[in-house]
Amino acid sequence: MSRTRARHLVGGLRTRLVVTFVVVALISAVTATALAYRDARTAVLQRTQNAAVNDLRERVTAVAADFDVPPDQQSLSRFAARVSDGIGGDIVVARYQDLSAVSDSMADTEARITTELRTAVMTGSEARFQRVRWRGEPYLVVGTPVTFADGDHRTSGLEVFAITDLRAERDDTAALLDSVRTGMVPVVLLAAVLALLAAGTVLRPVRKLGRATRELATGDLGSRVAVSGRDELADLARTFNETADALQASDTELREQEAKARRFVADVSHELRTPLAAMTMVATVLEEDADQLPPDAARAARTVGAETARLSRLVEDLMEISRFDAKAVRLNAAEVDLADTVRASLALRGWTDRVRTELDEGVRAVVDRRRIDVIVANLVGNALRHGAPPVTVTLGTAEAADGDWVVLSVADHGPGLPPEARERVFDRFYKADAARTRGAADDSGQGSGLGMAIALENARLHGGTIDVTDVAGGPGRGAVFTLRLPLRRRGEGTE
């Protein structure tokens, strides 16, 4: 079992529900047991106390009718014995002033009759009782003063105490407690079973909802949850389905709008190509004859020619971006020498004397040569236009845990890029700060605002990427654009 699965079982909702049910059942059982034990013990002791008090009072009244006061030791002993015989053989202690008699001469009564009870009986006119423990065993001690039978309730000075053993009552209540404790085990087990059933009933729709949510998160907008019942979980499932319906409708609408926008850009770009071709021809003728025109007309002719060329490049870039958006771009890959490809790209644009190169020879990889040329042209053109010399192009390879990579770096020593610009330099039509006013570059002398975005898309098409960092030494010392491509050779295939 994996660690994640174990944590899920330990801290999952099912475990918490079962534990909660069991704890509640256990607390309820313990509380009920405690209350039942307390009530049962109180009832047993109360019945025993009442019986002991009534029995002692009645027996003392009956025996005292023939008893003469003041007694001697012998008569007091007989009195204690007769009272003991009448109340079930409990130990009876009779006291009159300094005389004391015990029905069982072998019994130790001094430790069981407390001073508090003797004082209460001596000073009162009613029976008193007290529960005591002697040698670890429970006893009930009942004391009562003997009064004269003249109706005035005058005490005679004779005091009688009866000591009753409570071990039988203790054993009865203990047996009741053991029975209740034994009954707690099936109660807790039953609570656990009920908790599992309840957890299954509650968690089944929750699991279905979680599965549908994960499917929705992975892009399956058709995922729905079956709704059953009228409880809160059913309301949640209905809300989820309504949300999924709205999300699917919004996604469909957005996809349709995106497709329309792509078709619009592609159609506009396509329709512009014919008039732009005518305009380019006219602009070319005007530029060729610009030297024969007046200065203002010559300047206008050259401006028209430059802007027409820029507009043509923009249309071409828009069509290229549209193909990327439509997933209609494919690689025409072949194994090439990358150092030769970089040198050819620089020579084609006349940049050989303006760029320093540090190219490892013999680096061959299966790539689309035309798209690598576009990437190099955009990176180097961007550095020449917005950076400062020297501009250095470095080509090499690097080993990583996921394979070998081709690394092409273009470094300049211009003002560099601020952090916010580095994060957005590959966005379409993004314009950086004043130091880099033309935005991303393309393979000509003027930026369309799409060149860096196209370069990144071409890198991704090869399974690579482009990132930008500062030149070593800190911000303000230039920027380094680094292209990384998987080093694939013939027979390894392409993406």
Side-chain angles (χ1 to χ4, degrees), residues 204-224:
R204 191 175 299 111
V206 173
R207 284 195 297 269
K208 293 180 180 178
L209 184 61
R211 183 167 54 251
T213 303
R214 289 189 294 272
E215 293 173 354
L216 193 67
T218 57
D220 183 8
L221 300 183
S223 178
R224 297 295 184 273

Side-chain angles (χ1 to χ4, degrees), residues 5-211:
R5 177 65 175 171
R7 283 199 302 265
H8 177 72
L9 291 176
V10 172
L13 184 57
R14 178 191 296 272
T15 302
R16 292 199 295 269
L17 283 174
V18 172
V19 171
T20 300
F21 267 74
V22 172
V23 169
V24 169
L26 188 59
I27 292 175
S28 300
V30 169
T31 302
T33 300
L35 293 175
Y37 175 75
R38 186 195 65 181
D39 292 343
R41 183 174 179 273
T42 301
V44 170
L45 293 177
Q46 189 67 43
R47 184 175 64 250
T48 302
Q49 290 168 182
N50 293 339
V53 171
N54 291 333
D55 290 347
L56 179 62
R57 184 184 295 117
E58 294 174 359
R59 185 58 180 169
V60 167
T61 301
V63 175
D66 300 330
F67 187 72
D68 295 329
V69 178
D72 55 20
Q73 184 64 49
Q74 186 177 4
S75 62
L76 191 60
S77 298
R78 285 197 301 268
F79 176 84
R82 292 179 60 190
V83 172
S84 176
D85 292 340
I87 57 174
D90 290 346
I91 301 173
V92 174
V93 179
R95 299 173 60 90
Y96 184 83
Q97 296 181 359
D98 295 333
L99 297 178
S100 177
V102 182
S103 61
D104 184 356
S105 60
M106 303 298 294
D108 181 5
T109 60
E110 291 297 325
R112 284 181 272 186
I113 303 175
T114 64
T115 304
E116 292 82 3
L117 181 61
R118 289 173 181 170
T119 302
V121 173
M122 185 183 302
T123 58
S125 59
E126 298 292 335
R128 298 288 189 271
F129 63 87
Q130 186 180 38
R131 290 195 298 271
V132 298
R133 296 191 70 83
W134 181 68
R135 294 182 179 177
E137 302 295 341
Y139 292 91
L140 174 65
V141 182
V142 180
T144 181
V146 179
T147 59
F148 290 105
D150 55 7
D152 292 337
H153 299 287
R154 292 180 299 112
T155 58
S156 62
L158 179 61
E159 301 159 6
V160 182
F161 298 89
I163 302 174
T164 303
D165 192 344
L166 294 180
R167 283 178 291 184
E169 287 74 10
R170 180 200 59 188
D171 294 341
D172 291 341
T173 54
L176 175 63
L177 182 61
D178 291 340
S179 299
V180 176
R181 286 175 178 170
T182 304
M184 287 173 59
V185 175
V187 169
V188 173
L189 293 178
L190 179 61
V193 173
L194 293 177
L196 288 173
L197 295 177
T201 302
V202 172
L203 294 180
R204 191 175 299 111
V206 173
R207 284 195 297 269
K208 293 180 180 178
L209 184 61
R211 183 167 54 251

Side-chain angles (χ1 to χ4, degrees), residues 34 36 104 147 212 329 336 353 436 484:
D104 184 356
T147 59
V329 179
V336 299
D353 296 335
R436 307 178 79 94
R484 290 182 173 84

Side-chain angles (χ1 to χ4, degrees), residues 70 90 131 305 333 340 348 408 428 446:
D90 290 346
R131 290 195 298 271
D340 290 342
L348 179 65
L408 175 70
R428 300 173 185 181
Q446 299 294 330

Side-chain angles (χ1 to χ4, degrees), residues 350-363:
W351 294 339
T352 302
D353 296 335
R354 301 174 61 188
V355 177
R356 290 166 43 185
T357 58
E358 299 176 2
L359 310 178
D360 289 352
E361 300 296 335
V363 179

Side-chain angles (χ1 to χ4, degrees), residues 470-494:
D470 293 322
V471 171
R477 296 179 178 269
V480 179
F481 287 83
T482 303
L483 166 69
R484 290 182 173 84
L485 300 177
L487 181 58
R488 297 190 180 92
R489 296 182 173 85
R490 188 181 303 276
E492 296 180 2
T494 62

